[in-house]
Amino acid sequence: MTKTVSTIVIYCNPIDQIKTVLACCASITGNTVFVVDNSPTNKFQELCLSFGAQYIHTPSNPGFGASHNLAKEKFPDYDTYLIVNPDVHFSSDDAIKLIDFINKNHDVVCVVPKVIYPDGQLQRLCKLLPSPLNLFVRRFAKKLADKLDNNFELRWFSYNVAVAIPYASGCFMAVRAEIFRKIGGFDERFFMYLEDTDLSRRLSQHGKIIFYPDAIITHEFAKASYKNKRLLLVHIKSAVQYFNKWGWFFDRERNQINSEAVAKIRAVMAEAKTANPKCTESSSR
């Protein structure tokens, strides 16, 4: 039997939000729930323990990635790490679909679900690897960004077939623990934002990252950096760190990865359409 741990990183989240995600994680049979609390006080400890979660308080707030990396140390012999945002909710059946998929497909290092908003609308979280234009222009020049985002956000993708993608959202990921440990987990230089982009790029060097539409979760997705100037600066800093690491405008590897991903996704979509002519875009359950 495989061993799975769900890691949730919280920071002064609404208590009802924490209760919801704890209940979701606790409902997965055989799953260990691990909470890293970066809040100034440990006021959520009793709540977490009441759901049977293991709890660690890190008031120094080392960041999203560094906090998730603690799972490597606490659970070194586990098979699958579920990286779970506190602002999501899901059924145990959907989580198990992802766990089963990654355990049955040994060439897969990470699998992510279809993600919807609370109103049922689709969140387009499958993306290509970003260029500086994708990140900076889309934040400060919306009209130009809309043109760039058509391909970057794969707006033409149907979201109804399983495909390999180069960039997966960190709001919910099932990751092969062996590979996560091998690459050192998240790069802890990223306090918050772009840490999932960087992780995706390093994971994909060891296997496939798969979008799996049969599993569906709900994500509140607050886009906090669009509302908070301090978080905007954190976002910009992370973007600079990311491009300093991987390359700015002349990143040939990025271009190759994106081109191959687009070709393969279009091929899978064409094959699915041939097999099922009524196959159309689905924006929710």
Side-chain angles (χ1 to χ4, degrees), residues 77-119:
D77 59 343
Y78 275 55
D79 303 295
T80 309
Y81 293 147
L82 292 183
I83 296 165
V84 183
N85 263 24
D87 59 351
V88 304
H89 57 90
F90 52 90
S91 72
S92 59
D93 287 344
D94 285 312
I96 290 170
K97 287 177 184 178
L98 298 176
I99 297 167
D100 286 347
F101 186 90
I102 198 169
N103 287 327
K104 291 176 181 177
N105 295 276
H106 299 293
D107 59 339
V108 174
V109 293
C110 176
V111 59
V112 294
K114 179 183 289 187
V115 182
I116 60 175
Y117 290 101
D119 65 2

Side-chain angles (χ1 to χ4, degrees), residues 1-272:
M1 183 176 179
T2 60
K3 299 172 69 177
T4 302
V5 59
S6 299
T7 305
I8 309 164
V9 176
I10 60 176
Y11 179 82
C12 299
N13 296 80
I15 192 166
D16 287 342
Q17 191 178 79
I18 298 173
K19 286 180 180 178
T20 297
V21 73
L22 284 171
C24 291
C25 289
S27 71
I28 305 170
T29 303
N31 176 54
T32 298
V33 184
F34 178 48
V35 178
V36 182
D37 185 3
N38 291 338
S39 308
T41 69
N42 66 345
K43 66 177 182 179
F44 297 123
Q45 180 173 7
E46 186 175 343
L47 171 64
C48 294
L49 295 178
S50 72
F51 280 90
Q54 296 196 35
Y55 175 91
I56 183 170
H57 185 220
T58 50
S60 61
N61 191 7
F64 179 88
S67 298
H68 275 291
N69 280 350
L70 292 174
K72 297 193 285 80
E73 302 169 17
K74 295 279 288 186
F75 309 97
D77 59 343
Y78 275 55
D79 303 295
T80 309
Y81 293 147
L82 292 183
I83 296 165
V84 183
N85 263 24
D87 59 351
V88 304
H89 57 90
F90 52 90
S91 72
S92 59
D93 287 344
D94 285 312
I96 290 170
K97 287 177 184 178
L98 298 176
I99 297 167
D100 286 347
F101 186 90
I102 198 169
N103 287 327
K104 291 176 181 177
N105 295 276
H106 299 293
D107 59 339
V108 174
V109 293
C110 176
V111 59
V112 294
K114 179 183 289 187
V115 182
I116 60 175
Y117 290 101
D119 65 2
Q121 293 301 303
L122 176 70
Q123 289 187 25
R124 291 190 167 276
L125 298 183
C126 295
K127 297 182 178 71
L128 301 179
L129 294 175
S131 70
L133 285 177
N134 291 131
L135 294 190
F136 292 108
V137 173
R138 75 198 305 255
R139 182 61 182 83
F140 299 107
K142 190 175 186 305
K143 289 185 178 180
L144 177 57
D146 285 341
K147 295 181 180 179
L148 293 171
D149 282 352
N150 185 60
N151 213 39
F152 170 58
E153 292 187 339
L154 302 176
R155 291 182 180 177
W156 42 266
F157 175 45
S158 63
Y159 276 79
N160 57 9
V161 289
V163 294
I165 56 175
Y167 169 12
S169 167
C171 73
F172 195 105
M173 309 171 98
V175 181
R176 190 174 301 283
E178 176 188 1
I179 302 302
F180 188 80
R181 292 189 292 265
K182 182 176 181 177
I183 67 174
F186 285 100
D187 185 334
E188 298 185 8
R189 290 176 292 181
F190 297 92
F191 177 78
M192 187 168 64
Y193 302 117
L194 277 296
E195 73 288 319
D196 52 356
T197 318
D198 174 79
L199 180 68
S200 295
R201 190 155 182 175
R202 290 184 293 118
L203 283 172
S204 64
Q205 294 172 343
H206 298 272
K208 296 177 182 177
I209 298 175
I210 297 294
F211 163 75
Y212 189 65
D214 291 348
I216 303 175
I217 73 160
T218 301
H219 179 211
E220 293 180 15
F221 197 45
K223 288 189 176 181
S225 70
Y226 282 71
K227 305 171 185 178
N228 184 301
K229 289 183 178 179
R230 184 182 68 82
L231 291 179
L232 172 60
L233 292 175
V234 172
H235 202 159
I236 292 172
K237 180 181 178 181
S238 289
V240 170
Q241 289 175 318
Y242 175 84
F243 292 117
N244 282 343
K245 177 177 181 178
W246 291 102
W248 285 75
F249 293 97
F250 302 103
D251 182 353
R252 291 182 180 178
E253 183 183 65
R254 174 184 66 221
N255 296 336
Q256 181 179 351
I257 290 170
N258 286 347
S259 295
E260 291 177 356
V262 168
K264 290 177 181 177
I265 293 170
R266 289 193 184 277
V268 171
M269 287 177 60
E271 184 179 350

